[in-house]
Amino acid sequence: MKPYQWPMLVVYAAAIFSKSKSFRDNPVIGSTSLNKMGLHLFRRRLAWRMGIRRRAQLASLITAEDRAAIDRDGYIVKRDFLDPETFEKLRNEILGLQTEAREAVIGDTLTRLIPLDGRNMGKVPATRSVLEGPAFNNLLAYAGSFRRRPRLFVQTVFTRVLKDAPPDVQSFFHSDTFHPTVKAWLYLEDVDPASCPFTYVPGSHIANRRRLAWERRVSLHAATSREPLTAEGSLRITEQELARLRYRVPESLAVGANTLVIADTSGFHKRSPSADQARRISIWAYSRSNPFLPWAGGDFTRAFPRLHGWGLHLFWFAQDLVKRMGKARGGWRWVGVRTPATPPALDTGGGPRRG
Ligand SMILES: O=C(O)CCC(=O)C(=O)O
Ligand SMILES: [Fe+2]
């Protein structure tokens, strides 16, 4: 711990009981000696136990079969999720959406996010009723172990937009964080093996003995890891290590349009790299809460959906402001009006802009 960090000690220590995950940015969470004494494993185990407990509270929301799949594999694939007519309506609404978008080029991949906030949701009524309906939300709640309103976006991934850039950081196996958490993709177009399918290591969401021993080892030096993702608490793992942990073979989810994939992304996963330019359009959802809470409900933002949307815009505003102050470069920015399928316009210069 550096001397200038001492006055913040209480704040750093309080973060032990939050979803904070960065070993690098928090000298308590990243402390080698505390992690030798078991701090990381303590958080990991307690968060896992609370997650199981919350999932048990939500068990009646979904079928026994779906529960078994999520409990066993850490992910679930729902092919033909919507009836064809509803899906057609939803797809037309989403592909026709023309609105302000955020984009980031990470490695050789451009990702576009269009927030499905109150304003955009108002333009897509069929989509809205699906995304606010029980079939979608109950699966998401169980997988994420919280009954919370997820963040919703249209996500378009354009692969290989830059020729000589390093690969996208997401194309290496990693775990997003140390506790149960959920991401979901409802694909609007077929995802063939070349359009960077989501790949998941079945069963890798389970905090078993081998996994915990591996994490304990990694936690000792994660704060100074050369892998930025590991230092930030999204532990990266090599294919050899995965084999040593005796996981099943990774499943690459090249699936048809109208497939819903929901995953606990504390399990190991990646975006399969793609050799050529391809695009992947989905409705993307994620949700993350304090992993130490013993109860699954109690989300006051469910009663105030508009507030939920503002929260995200406020976060982006702050993120852009910090960037404008010169503390961070590259990354996410508003790029003006786009549809989900507008081809990428590669103007890499400049900071965040509106309109
Ligand atoms: O988009 C994907 O296939 C996975 C990317 C990823 O790792 C994530 O969203 O956490
Ligand atoms: Fe991830």
Side-chain angles (χ1 to χ4, degrees):
M1 190 148 158
K2 316 238 165 45
Y4 67 85
Q5 290 176 317
W6 280 106
M8 291 279 285
L9 184 60
V10 178
V11 177
Y12 289 134
I16 290 175
F17 292 101
S18 76
K19 63 183 170 185
S20 287
K21 61 177 184 166
S22 177
F23 294 94
R24 188 192 55 205
D25 300 333
N26 184 320
V28 173
I29 288 173
S31 159
T32 301
S33 35
L34 289 178
N35 287 334
K36 242 182 215 158
M37 282 155 56
L39 175 63
H40 177 70
L41 276 204
F42 163 74
R43 299 184 80 212
R44 185 70 173 87
R45 282 210 187 95
L46 184 59
W48 168 250
R49 276 211 300 276
M50 289 298 148
I52 302 271
R53 186 184 163 132
R54 290 188 305 267
R55 280 196 183 125
Q57 294 162 18
L58 300 170
S60 64
L61 293 180
I62 63 173
T63 65
E65 198 187 334
D66 289 347
R67 259 190 338 257
I70 295 171
D71 291 347
R72 179 188 63 235
D73 300 329
Y75 72 97
I76 187 163
V77 178
K78 297 298 245 181
R79 293 189 164 79
D80 300 316
F81 177 61
L82 300 172
D83 65 81
E85 204 181 311
T86 309
F87 178 67
E88 202 50 39
K89 270 196 209 143
L90 171 142
R91 183 167 59 185
N92 290 340
E93 281 180 356
I94 295 294
L95 295 182
L97 204 54
Q98 200 164 18
T99 183
E100 298 274 330
R102 279 175 84 79
E103 289 181 357
V105 178
I106 299 169
D108 61 2
T109 301
L110 183 144
T111 305
R112 174 176 304 149
L113 286 183
I114 293 176
L116 288 172
D117 52 12
R119 200 151 53 99
N120 284 330
M121 275 293 209
K123 303 179 198 161
V124 293
T127 305
R128 179 181 198 149
S129 58
V130 169
L131 299 181
E132 291 183 355
F136 179 76
N137 283 291
N138 289 348
L139 278 168
L140 225 84
Y142 187 80
S145 77
F146 275 104
R147 205 163 184 178
R148 295 277 156 102
R149 175 176 266 272
R151 299 254 179 239
L152 296 165
F153 308 85
V154 185
Q155 181 198 62
T156 311
V157 177
F158 295 97
T159 63
R160 294 268 174 185
V161 293
L162 295 180
K163 278 243 156 42
D164 300 315
D168 173 9
V169 288
Q170 317 255 39
S171 60
F172 300 92
F173 280 113
H174 63 278
S175 148
D176 283 352
T177 189
F178 67 94
H179 56 84
T181 183
V182 67
K183 284 185 179 161
W185 293 260
L186 173 59
Y187 294 110
L188 300 193
E189 299 177 320
D190 291 347
V191 181
D192 56 56
S195 34
C196 61
F198 178 68
T199 299
Y200 195 93
V201 180
S204 62
H205 65 305
I206 297 171
N208 62 20
R209 282 208 356 245
R210 273 190 293 272
R211 168 67 172 271
L212 290 175
W214 176 84
E215 270 195 40
R216 181 180 182 280
R217 268 197 315 277
V218 175
S219 72
L220 303 185
H221 304 291
T224 51
S225 170
R226 269 179 293 124
E227 297 288 359
L229 266 174
T230 294
E232 284 162 23
S234 303
L235 305 184
R236 256 169 90 157
I237 187 164
T238 62
E239 311 224 354
Q240 291 85 331
E241 285 174 304
L242 280 174
R244 248 181 278 137
L245 294 183
R246 293 195 226 155
Y247 285 125
R248 283 177 274 159
V249 185
E251 284 281 345
S252 188
L253 302 172
V255 292
N258 193 14
T259 300
L260 173 66
V261 170
I262 299 187
D264 174 349
T265 52
S266 67
F268 293 116
H269 62 281
K270 68 175 180 181
R271 179 180 292 163
S272 286
S274 123
D276 291 310
Q277 293 202 336
R279 80 170 187 215
R280 199 188 74 183
I281 306 182
S282 63
I283 290 178
W284 182 58
Y286 77 80
S287 179
R288 213 168 276 182
S289 302
N290 185 312
F292 302 104
L293 291 175
W295 54 85
D299 178 7
F300 80 100
T301 65
R302 276 157 68 88
F304 305 100
R306 290 239 163 220
L307 206 64
H308 190 71
W310 290 345
L312 179 67
H313 280 278
L314 204 64
F315 170 75
W316 281 341
F317 179 74
Q319 203 180 38
D320 291 348
L321 200 68
V322 170
K323 217 157 65 171
R324 244 184 311 225
M325 285 166 15
K327 296 214 169 119
R329 243 161 260 292
W332 290 96
R333 61 198 180 106
W334 290 105
V335 292
V337 174
R338 297 282 191 276
T339 74
T342 310
L346 273 185
D347 143 33
T348 41
R353 306 174 280 146
R354 267 195 160 275

